[in-house]
């Protein structure tokens, strides 16, 4: 029987500490920790952690993590009962179109709600982990097409984000969004669908190379009967279509149902190592250290796959704090947008324009590109997305300019073609147009004019949203610590950049503050964390 340890005991186990805790970690270490575990820490947040030791800081982060959002969700998201999706062969085209349009609006509202929570949460680590699991247990609104299901999954991931991995795996496997996305709801005895069985092994637990095709076939039989009660909008087991026969999965034989198969996967040591390596790439560096991954995975497995001990061990590893791993990760579009608004202490009156802005940078919340999710890393940066990133950052501090460029781009955008996805359109669109195309992805060509108008409105909304922020660069720089203007600008560099500036230089004392902030945000180092 596994013995659960207190977090303090896990600290010792995870780090091998037998000596007194080190002194205060200071500003640079506090910034590094909060930048990696949140979204663009503010100067005040960094200073609140700077006086703590590394162990104290990590303990506080994990202790104070929330399990639910503070921002109230849209009213429709928490409704119960039927989702209202039209069913049957006699549904008219108008009814179907109206429902699709409603789901597009709900999708936009849901992405905006989540971005708002990221901006205002008292627990950025919770939202970072929710986003991490969203990219691990992938489902997409583009296929699910019921925004209420996507909200329920988002809430499920947040509730378990720093809880027990096994509990989360069992819950998300029966989540309606997942049942639709990986076709489990279509699976029945004699005709098992293998999609979920394959992905739960390859992407959720074991990783490639630790199972074979026969394991997938046998496991798929176990998941038959997992379905959805469309009237209640919840998971429903249908015993009449479940294959109750004997199955052999990974060398273990029994009359397995789906839960039993998940337990077989959770018991394999490869699962803790696979998840640990993925956490490493998220928080430490692009290339995991195999020996360290095994060490942390052992902590993870020894604590019954509780996430907090594993993350604690990861954040207190020497590798996490190593100089060579600072600035080694590329910010995702969401991190760039949310982090910039937070660090410049800007509060949008509406989050929707900024949720749309991440689209042109390649990240559509609630709609990862495929079952493998966003690959991240250097893939975030290409000629189109880098230009979109720079336009966004430049526009934040050019508040006096007219909104003509984005509005003109939206007005002249080409109509969508049948079968186009948000990823293909965003990849080919101009940066200004790409921020606004998400709403056009689920509609047939007959709705192209409405999609163009929606895109135009979204582009104009982003311009209005930016202009309404009224960023005062002079006042922002003046708030930085330092006895001289040059010292304050140097402090701003330290706050905004994980590494010394590549191109931006600390300007003369009489330099224009807006130009300085713009140059800092456009420095290549600002794209990193």
């Amino acid at each position: 029987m596994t013995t659960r340890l207190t977090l303090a005991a896990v600290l010792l186990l995870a780090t091998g500490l037998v000596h007194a805790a080190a002194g205060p970690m200071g500003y640079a270490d506090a910034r590094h920790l909060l930048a990696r575990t949140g979204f663009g820490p503010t100067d005040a947040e960094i200073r609140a952690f700077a006086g703590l030791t590394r162990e104290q800081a990590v303990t506080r982060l994990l202790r104070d993590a929330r399990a639910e959002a503070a921002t109230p969700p849209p009213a429709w998201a928490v409704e119960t009962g039927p989702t209202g999706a039209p069913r049957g062969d006699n549904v008219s085209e108008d009814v179907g179109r109206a429902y699709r349009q409603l789901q597009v609006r709900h999708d936009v509202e849901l992405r905006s709600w989540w971005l708002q929570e990221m901006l205002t949460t008292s627990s950025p680590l919770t939202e970072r982990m929710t986003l991490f699991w969203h990219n691990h247990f992938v489902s997409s609104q583009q296929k699910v097409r019921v925004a209420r299901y996507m909200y329920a999954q988002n809430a499920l991931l947040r509730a378990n984000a720093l809880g027990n991995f096994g509990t989360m795996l069992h819950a998300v496997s029966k989540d309606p969004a997942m049942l639709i996305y990986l076709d489990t709801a279509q699976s029945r005895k004699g005709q098992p669908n293998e999609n979920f069985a394959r992905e739960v092994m390859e992407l959720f637990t074991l990783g490639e190379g630790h199972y074979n095709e026969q394991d997938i076939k046998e496991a798929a039989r176990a998941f038959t009967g997992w379905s959805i009660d469309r009237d209640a909008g919840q998971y429903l087991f249908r015993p009449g279509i479940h294959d109750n026969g004997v199955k052999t999965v990974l060398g273990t034989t029994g009359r397995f149902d789906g839960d039993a198969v998940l337990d077989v996967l959770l018991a394999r040591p490869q699962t803790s190592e696979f998840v640990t390596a993925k956490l490493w790439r998220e928080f430490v560096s692009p290339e995991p250290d195999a020996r360290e991954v095994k060490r942390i995975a052992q902590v993870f497995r020894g604590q019954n796959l509780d996430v907090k001990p594993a993350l604690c061990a990861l954040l207190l590893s020497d590798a996490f704090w190593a100089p060579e791993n600072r600035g080694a990760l590329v910010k995702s579009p969401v991190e760039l947008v949310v982090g910039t608004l937070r660090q410049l202490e800007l509060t949008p009156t509406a989050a929707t324009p900024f949720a749309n802005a991440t689209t042109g940078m390649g990240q559509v919340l609630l709609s990862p590109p495929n079952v493998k999710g966003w690959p991240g890393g250097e893939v975030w940066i290409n000629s189109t997305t880098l230009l979109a990133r720079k336009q966004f950052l430049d526009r934040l501090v050019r508040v006096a300019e007219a909104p003509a460029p984005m509005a003109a781009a939206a007005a002249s955008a080409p109509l969508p073609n049948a079968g186009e996805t948000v990823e293909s359109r965003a990849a080919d669109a101009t940066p200004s147009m790409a921020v606004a195309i998400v709403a056009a992805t689920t509609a047939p060509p007959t709705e192209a004019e409405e999609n163009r108008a929606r895109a135009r409105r979204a582009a104009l909304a982003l311009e209005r949203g930016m202009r309404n922020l009224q960023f005062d660069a002079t006042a922002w720089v003046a708030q930085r610590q330092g006895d001289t203007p040059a010292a304050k600008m140097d402090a701003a560099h330290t706050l905004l950049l994980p590494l010394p500036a590549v191109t931006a230089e600390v300007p003369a004392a009489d330099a224009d503050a807006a130009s300085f902030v713009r140059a800092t945000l456009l420095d290549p180092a600002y794209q990193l964390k």
Side-chain angles (χ1 to χ4, degrees):
M1 180 177 179
T2 301
T3 301
R4 297 297 184 90
L5 304 178
T6 65
L7 190 55
V10 171
L11 284 171
L12 297 176
L13 175 65
T15 63
L17 293 173
V18 294
H19 51 75
M25 58 182 172
Y27 193 95
D29 277 4
R31 185 208 178 281
H32 175 64
L33 175 65
L34 297 179
R36 287 288 176 90
T37 59
F39 304 91
T42 65
D43 182 70
E45 291 169 336
I46 295 170
R47 294 192 181 281
F49 273 76
L52 305 176
T53 66
R54 291 175 178 177
E55 293 79 15
Q56 290 170 337
V58 171
T59 299
R60 178 184 290 186
L61 276 178
L62 296 174
R63 182 196 66 202
D64 295 346
R66 298 177 59 92
E68 57 185 22
T71 305
W76 54 262
V78 293
E79 290 177 352
T80 57
T83 62
R87 287 182 283 174
D89 297 332
N90 298 323
V91 175
S92 70
E93 182 178 339
D94 288 342
V95 170
R97 180 183 299 114
Y99 181 78
R100 290 193 299 271
Q101 291 172 345
L102 176 65
Q103 293 307 307
V104 167
R105 290 195 296 272
H106 284 179
D107 180 34
V108 171
E109 290 176 20
L110 191 58
R111 289 187 293 110
S112 303
W113 165 80
W114 192 9
L115 195 95
Q116 181 68 30
E117 177 66 11
M118 293 177 190
L119 282 167
T120 59
T121 180
S122 61
S123 178
L125 175 60
T126 297
E127 298 313 307
R128 276 295 309 280
M129 289 301 295
T130 304
L131 184 59
F132 171 80
W133 294 123
H134 172 47
N135 201 41
H136 181 82
F137 297 113
V138 171
S139 295
S140 172
Q141 170 67 2
Q142 285 185 270
K143 180 173 181 178
V144 175
R145 294 176 182 262
V146 181
R148 200 176 92 192
Y149 288 162
M150 294 302 298
Y151 167 76
Q153 185 179 87
N154 182 269
L156 186 158
L157 295 177
R158 182 176 294 101
N160 294 277
L162 289 159
N164 183 270
F165 178 78
T167 299
M168 178 163 48
L169 176 65
H170 278 277
V172 79
S173 298
K174 297 177 181 177
D175 176 73
M178 182 64 71
L179 292 170
I180 294 172
Y181 185 69
L182 289 180
D183 304 306
T184 317
Q186 308 297 324
S187 190
R188 58 184 59 242
K189 182 179 180 179
Q191 296 179 306
N193 188 294
E194 297 178 7
N195 286 353
F196 179 75
R198 183 181 306 278
E199 307 310 349
V200 75
M201 294 184 189
E202 177 183 343
L203 300 176
F204 299 170
T205 58
L206 304 174
E208 293 183 11
H210 300 293
Y211 58 89
N212 58 41
E213 288 298 312
Q214 188 60 30
D215 291 322
I216 293 172
K217 293 180 182 298
E218 295 284 274
R221 294 172 53 209
F223 293 114
T224 55
W226 285 26
S227 186
I228 302 172
D229 181 342
R230 301 282 180 173
D231 291 330
Q234 297 176 350
Y235 165 80
L236 176 67
F237 178 64
R238 301 183 187 277
I241 60 174
H242 171 64
D243 184 338
N244 196 39
V246 175
K247 311 163 188 76
T248 299
V249 179
L250 299 176
T252 304
T253 301
R255 292 186 180 277
F256 297 141
D257 60 9
D259 285 311
V261 169
L262 295 180
D263 286 337
V264 170
L265 301 180
L266 289 167
R268 307 290 283 200
Q270 292 88 352
T271 293
S272 60
E273 293 179 10
F274 177 74
V275 176
T276 298
K278 200 163 185 178
L279 285 167
W280 183 290
R281 286 188 289 269
E282 178 74 13
F283 292 105
V284 182
S285 69
E287 296 296 331
D289 180 309
R291 178 178 294 183
E292 279 291 276
V293 166
K294 284 187 176 294
R295 179 183 69 82
I296 297 169
Q298 186 175 7
V299 174
F300 191 23
R301 194 161 55 251
Q303 291 300 298
N304 195 34
L305 299 183
D306 280 347
V307 175
K308 278 187 178 181
L311 193 56
C312 175
L314 188 72
L315 297 178
L316 289 174
S317 67
D318 290 340
F320 178 80
W321 303 95
E324 62 269 24
N325 288 332
R326 311 256 178 144
L329 300 176
V330 178
K331 293 176 182 175
S332 70
V334 168
E335 290 173 302
L336 185 77
V337 171
V338 175
T340 302
L341 292 171
R342 282 175 53 84
Q343 289 200 295
L344 297 184
E345 300 175 27
L346 299 172
T347 304
T349 56
T352 300
F354 300 93
N356 286 340
T358 67
T359 299
M361 302 176 197
Q363 188 172 28
V364 187
L365 284 174
L366 305 175
S367 290
N370 52 54
V371 71
K372 292 185 177 181
W374 299 290
E378 294 181 359
V379 177
W380 288 130
I381 304 294
N382 58 50
S383 58
T384 298
T385 59
L386 182 59
L387 183 55
R389 285 170 173 249
K390 289 187 173 182
Q391 284 187 338
F392 174 80
L393 296 170
D394 185 64
R395 189 70 188 96
L396 276 179
V397 291
R398 292 184 183 273
V399 294
E401 292 185 358
M406 281 191 180
S412 60
L415 298 177
N417 297 317
E420 282 189 308
T421 65
V422 73
E423 290 76 27
S424 63
R425 293 207 67 210
D428 297 334
T430 64
S432 295
M433 185 55 217
V435 302
I437 64 175
V438 65
T441 61
T442 59
T446 54
E447 299 174 43
E449 289 293 345
E450 181 176 341
N451 295 335
R452 175 185 283 175
R454 184 183 296 115
R456 185 184 301 115
R457 290 194 299 270
L460 288 170
L462 179 57
E463 285 290 346
R464 288 194 299 270
M466 287 189 172
R467 290 173 64 82
N468 289 338
L469 290 175
Q470 297 297 315
F471 176 59
D472 187 337
T474 301
W476 184 85
V477 172
Q479 293 172 2
R480 310 281 70 83
Q481 291 200 352
D483 297 331
T484 66
K488 290 179 180 293
M489 291 180 181
D490 187 53
H493 270 173
T494 303
L495 169 63
L496 295 174
L497 304 179
L499 299 170
V502 177
T503 59
E505 299 179 355
V506 176
D510 60 350
D512 174 64
S515 297
F516 160 72
V517 174
R518 182 183 305 113
T520 304
L521 295 180
L522 296 180
D523 189 278
Y526 187 72
Q527 302 293 328
L528 306 175
K529 60 181 180 180

